[in-house]
Amino acid sequence: MRGEPLPPYFRMDPDLAAAELGDPTDSAGFAEIARACDAGRADLASRGLGENGLRQLRPFSTWEITRYLIPVAPAHFRRVLRQNPELPQGRSETEGGAKWFSLDEVLRLRAHFGAEGSKAKPYLPYRPKGLPAKMVAVANFKGGVGKTSTAAHLAMSAALDGYKVLVLDLDSQGSMTSIFGGKVADEWQTIYPLLARHYASHLQVENRHRADRGETPLPLDETLTEALKLKTGDLVQKTHWPNIDLIGAQLNLYWAEFQVPVWRMQARGWKLWDALTDTLEEDGLLDSYDLVFIDTPPALGYLTINGLAAADILLVPLGASFLEFDSTGRFFDMLHTTFASIEEGENLAARALGRPEMAFQWDAVRALVTRYDASQQGELAALMQAYLGRTLSPHRQDFTALIGQAGEQVQGIYEADYRDFNRETYARGRETFDETYAALKKLLVGIWRREELAAQSSAAQ
C-alpha cells in the first residue's frame, strides 16, 4: 500500500554499504575481539566484587532467614538470639533497623536450632549417615536452554538449604566458573589432570601385566607422571559461598576432547568413562560433600560422557518449543546409542572371560522446562508432558524480570538483594527457582531414603 515505509532490505545503496563495511578480518582480528570481550567481562565481573577485589556474598535479613532458611517465627527467632548471646546476633545498618547475617552465621544458627530446637521441625536437611554424596549432572547438547543457570541456581539452593556442595565445571567456556568467581590459570587446575591420572594408573597396572608377559612397557610421559602426583583436593577452590566449593574450567580444558581418544587408542582396556567417578571416590570427595553438581559442555563428547557416567541424577533442561523438544529427543537417542555401545563392548569381553556384565544406571532422569512463558507455551508444554510423562518434571521454570536483572548484575537470583526490588517482586521472582529445587530435593530425599532402607534391611539380614 502507498504511503507505508518499505521493508529495510529494499533499495540499499551498494556504495554506502561498501563504505560502512570496514576492513576484512584475519585471524589476528579474532584475538582483538577476544581481548575486547575479556576487558568487558572484567569490567562486568568487577561490579560484583567487594573492596578486597573478591566476590562477596550478600548478608541475609531476619525476614529472609525465617521465611526461606530456618522455619521459625520471627519473634521466636529473636527470642532465641536474646537467650543465647554466644550465637551470632547480626548487624543493623541503621539504628533499630533490621538485623542482617552472613550465610556462615545462618549455618551456625541452623545448627543450633537443629540441636536445640523442636525435634518435630526439619531444621537440618535430610542426609542419611554412611551414604556417599549424590552427583547431579545437568546436560543437553543444545545451547541456550538454561543449563548452566539451572545448575548454578540448584547449587545455591542446596547451599541455602544447608547442604555442603561441590560444583564441577566440565564446560571449557567456564561460565559456571565465572558465576562462582573462580580463577583457573590453565588446564592443570581443571579436571583434566584427574582424567590423566586415571589413565596413568591404568597404564601402571597394564605395564605390570606386560612385564609378567615379558613385553615392553607402555611409556608414561611427563604429563602422566605429573598427573599421578595430583589429588582432587588440590584442584578444589573455595568460593564466596561458605558451603560451595568449585573445580573450575577454562578454554584449555577442551584439549581433553582430543587427548582422551588418543589415550584410548593406546590402551583399549582403559575405561575412560569411569575416570571421573573413580578419582572422586578414591580421593574421598564423595564423603566430604552432600551434593556434587556437574555442569557439562553442550555436546556429547568425552567430558560429557564422564559427567553423565558419574551422575546419580540427570537433569535435562529444555525450552517449550518444537525445535528444543526435537533436539532433546535426539539427545536422549544419542545417550542411548553411546552408553548401550559401551555396555555392548564391555559385556562382550566380560562374557568371554566369565566376568559379571556391566550396566549403566541412573537413580532418576528428568527433563525440565526452562524459560517458560505460560501465555505463549502452555499448549506445547502440555503436549510435551503427555508424551514424556514422569520424565518431564511437572514444574516449569518461569522466566521473570528478576532473572534478567540478576543476570545484568553478574549474580544468581539468590545473590540478588531484595531491597533492589521489593519484597513481593523478589518473592515472586525466586519462587520458580525454589520450586525447581524442591522438585530436585524430592528426588534426592527419595533416593537417599530408598538406599537407607536397603542398607538397614541388609544389616538386619
Side-chain angles (χ1 to χ4, degrees):
M1 289 180 288
R2 294 180 181 178
E4 293 186 359
L6 290 171
Y9 46 82
F10 280 129
R11 296 183 180 175
M12 283 190 179
D13 184 332
D15 291 325
L16 184 58
E20 294 179 356
L21 183 60
D23 297 329
T25 300
D26 56 16
S27 56
F30 291 141
E32 287 203 22
I33 297 169
R35 280 193 292 271
C37 289
D38 191 51
R41 176 193 173 280
D43 178 28
L44 289 170
S46 68
R47 300 178 189 185
L49 303 183
E51 293 180 0
N52 59 0
L54 301 175
R55 292 289 296 276
Q56 291 185 335
L57 185 61
R58 67 172 180 86
F60 297 83
S61 70
T62 299
W63 170 74
E64 285 182 282
I65 293 169
T66 56
R67 172 162 181 174
Y68 294 111
L69 306 180
I70 302 176
V72 295
H76 179 61
F77 180 79
R78 288 190 286 268
R79 185 164 55 250
V80 169
L81 294 190
R82 286 195 302 271
Q83 294 170 350
N84 297 273
E86 75 282 2
L87 291 175
Q89 298 295 309
R91 290 160 300 284
S92 296
E93 297 180 353
T94 59
E95 185 70 28
K99 293 289 186 70
W100 294 80
F101 300 79
S102 70
L103 184 55
D104 253 328
E105 292 172 329
V106 174
L107 296 174
R108 287 174 57 193
L109 291 169
R110 180 187 275 121
H112 173 82
F113 279 96
E116 304 295 334
S118 169
K119 301 305 177 187
K121 289 188 176 182
Y123 295 112
L124 301 175
Y126 177 71
R127 174 74 162 92
K129 292 182 179 179
L131 294 178
K134 285 298 175 185
M135 294 196 273
V136 182
V138 184
N140 198 332
F141 63 24
K142 191 177 191 315
V145 295
K147 177 177 60 65
T148 298
S149 175
T150 297
H153 282 97
L154 286 172
M156 294 176 190
S157 298
L160 290 174
D161 199 20
Y163 288 116
K164 189 173 183 185
V165 175
L166 176 65
V167 173
L168 298 184
D169 192 352
L170 305 191
D171 189 347
S172 59
Q173 295 178 85
S175 297
M176 181 72 89
T177 302
S178 295
I179 289 172
F180 286 105
K183 304 293 183 184
V184 183
D186 55 36
E187 68 273 19
W188 281 89
Q189 295 178 344
T190 72
I191 69 151
Y192 175 76
L194 300 184
L195 306 183
R197 188 184 103 194
H198 192 268
Y199 173 66
S201 298
H202 170 80
L203 282 191
Q204 288 181 321
V205 173
E206 178 64 22
N207 282 341
R208 286 195 287 271
H209 293 322
R210 293 175 75 91
D212 292 342
R213 297 193 299 266
E215 298 175 2
T216 304
L218 298 169
L220 269 74
D221 60 24
E222 185 179 352
T223 295
L224 299 178
T225 303
E226 286 300 311
L228 285 169
K229 303 173 187 176
L230 214 148
K231 297 293 184 184
T232 309
D234 299 331
L235 307 174
V236 174
Q237 301 182 41
K238 296 295 181 184
T239 73
H240 56 295
W241 286 72
N243 52 345
I244 299 180
D245 292 342
L246 168 74
I247 297 180
Q250 59 104 256
L251 195 58
N252 289 356
L253 176 58
Y254 194 67
W255 174 245
E257 298 290 0
F258 300 95
Q259 185 61 62
V260 167
V262 172
W263 289 336
R264 175 72 169 162
M265 288 291 290
Q266 293 171 345
R268 290 285 187 177
W270 177 46
K271 294 177 173 55
L272 63 92
W273 48 86
D274 287 338
L276 186 57
T277 310
D278 289 349
T279 50
L280 291 176
E281 288 179 347
E282 184 179 333
D283 293 347
L285 268 288
L286 301 187
D287 297 322
S288 302
Y289 296 91
D290 301 311
L291 282 167
V292 179
F293 286 95
I294 305 171
D295 187 37
T296 63
L300 192 54
Y302 293 103
L303 292 169
T304 300
I305 288 172
N306 257 278
L308 298 181
D312 302 293
I313 299 172
L314 169 60
L315 299 180
V316 181
L318 73 157
S321 74
F322 169 79
L323 290 178
E324 293 188 32
F325 188 39
D326 179 57
S327 174
T328 299
R330 297 175 195 277
F331 176 66
F332 278 111
D333 190 39
M334 286 188 68
L335 291 184
H336 166 256
T337 301
T338 300
F339 287 103
S341 175
I342 294 171
E343 289 172 344
E344 183 180 357
E346 287 296 298
N347 292 334
L348 192 63
R351 286 191 291 271
L353 297 171
R355 295 175 180 170
E357 297 186 16
M358 71 164 291
F360 291 102
Q361 190 173 65
W362 292 265
D363 290 320
V365 175
R366 294 290 185 273
L368 169 68
V369 172
T370 58
R371 299 174 293 108
Y372 179 65
D373 181 348
S375 65
Q376 302 285 333
Q377 300 173 323
E379 184 178 352
L380 182 52
L383 183 144
M384 291 163 59
Q385 192 78 59
Y387 278 99
L388 289 176
R390 179 179 290 182
T391 299
L392 183 63
S393 172
H395 164 63
R396 294 154 193 175
Q397 188 172 284
D398 298 325
F399 185 88
T400 69
L402 184 63
I403 296 172
Q405 291 176 55
E408 290 174 6
Q409 298 172 32
V410 199
Q411 58 190 3
I413 298 301
Y414 298 112
E415 295 176 319
D417 192 325
Y418 67 82
R419 291 171 295 180
D420 294 336
F421 314 93
N422 61 58
R423 286 191 185 185
E424 291 71 23
T425 301
Y426 176 78
R428 286 196 304 272
R430 67 169 282 168
E431 186 177 273
T432 189
F433 283 93
D434 287 345
E435 290 177 356
T436 301
Y437 172 63
L440 170 65
K441 186 177 179 182
K442 190 172 185 179
L443 295 175
L444 177 69
V445 168
I447 293 165
W448 262 332
R449 182 57 175 161
R450 183 170 63 192
E451 293 180 356
E452 185 179 31
L453 292 173
Q456 290 171 358
S457 175
S458 177
Q461 294 173 3

